[in-house]
Amino acid sequence: MTGSLGPDDVSDADLLRAHVDGDTDAFGTLFARHRDRLWAVALRTMGNPDDAADGLQDGLVAAYRRAGSFRGEAAVTTWLHRVVVNACLDRIRASRSRRAEPLPDDLEEYERRGSLVSAAPVSEDPAEVAVRGDRRDAVLAALATLPDEQRAALVLVDMEGYPVSEVAEMLDCAVGTVKSRCSRGRARLAVLLGVPAPEGERGHPPDGNPDPTPSVRSTDAPRAPPAAG
């Protein structure tokens, strides 16, 4: 990138274009800008930090190599999320047997890195902290049992808070399909977690997009994702 503009003054599209044109720093700048949310999506989709790091790296390698195919029909960040989610789903499909493995013992270390339940304040009752930890583990385990497409939709809509229309672009499907996947996923998680299903999602889920179950929603943001490479 040339001129007096700093990295924050250059748009995502310009960074991607600069990368395609041979700027060796542009892609790293682009990734650093969106690293936190891409890591959170990878972690929640894969279910554990090791697999998430592999999925994220696969996605970044794919984005790096396919940057020239970007046509600007969606936002760059939408395209990046699509590539990373697809890379994660490809890994899941290639190693389905991992779903039966126990959750890793070091999940507590990653509680502030895009976990499914927000970290509790230091002053909170230790008993409540333990309950939160148990609930987080239960959500991770339940999420891992969902069909790949439902899991991806729930991660992006309910956990990352993206609009359904944008998630439809990320997953390359219709808006109604995203709504249906979320609705079915919420109903299934409600059964697995032993909580009441959201109103209207018991039995045959509608195409609406009601609020997710309280045990599934999370608004925390990742703090320190691993460096790519």
Side-chain angles (χ1 to χ4, degrees):
M1 291 171 287
T2 61
S4 59
L5 293 178
D8 293 339
D9 299 315
V10 182
S11 70
D12 288 347
D14 286 340
L15 283 171
L16 194 63
R17 191 175 303 112
H19 163 64
V20 173
D21 291 341
D23 187 324
T24 56
D25 297 324
F27 192 83
T29 300
L30 179 63
F31 167 61
R33 184 177 290 178
H34 301 289
R35 177 180 59 184
D36 283 1
R37 297 204 76 174
L38 291 173
W39 167 247
V41 168
L43 180 58
R44 289 162 171 167
T45 301
M46 299 301 294
N48 69 76
D50 290 337
D51 289 341
D54 290 338
L56 179 58
Q57 180 167 295
D58 288 352
L60 292 177
V61 169
Y64 186 95
R65 293 175 176 172
R66 301 174 191 168
S69 67
F70 179 72
R71 296 290 179 262
E73 297 174 354
V76 172
T77 182
T78 299
W79 176 74
L80 285 173
H81 276 75
R82 177 190 302 171
V83 175
V84 169
V85 168
N86 284 338
C88 289
L89 293 180
D90 285 344
R91 274 194 168 265
I92 291 172
R93 293 173 184 129
S95 56
R96 290 183 182 277
S97 61
R98 292 186 181 181
R99 290 183 175 182
E101 294 180 1
L103 290 168
D105 295 331
D106 59 352
L107 273 177
E108 193 69 29
E109 176 185 350
Y110 292 85
E111 187 167 6
R112 289 175 295 177
R113 299 187 181 184
S115 64
L116 296 179
V117 180
S118 302
V122 175
S123 60
E124 191 168 351
D125 188 324
E128 177 61 22
V129 174
V131 170
R132 286 176 183 268
D134 290 343
R135 184 172 63 180
R136 181 197 61 244
D137 291 351
V139 171
L140 282 170
L143 190 65
T145 69
L146 295 182
D148 303 337
E149 294 78 9
Q150 290 179 14
R151 184 194 310 191
L154 281 177
V155 165
L156 292 167
V157 174
D158 287 354
M159 298 172 188
E160 286 304 301
Y162 285 105
V164 171
S165 58
E166 188 170 353
V167 173
E169 292 186 50
M170 292 177 185
L171 301 180
D172 195 23
C173 63
V175 167
T177 300
V178 174
K179 291 179 179 179
S180 177
R181 290 174 182 175
C182 285
S183 187
R184 292 177 185 278
R186 292 180 194 124
R188 185 165 179 174
L189 283 182
V191 172
L192 293 172
L193 296 171
V195 297
E199 189 66 28
E201 294 187 6
R202 297 161 188 160
H204 299 288
D207 283 338
N209 189 30
D211 288 338
T213 64
S215 297
V216 177
R217 168 166 284 182
S218 172
T219 57
D220 60 308
R223 300 297 183 189

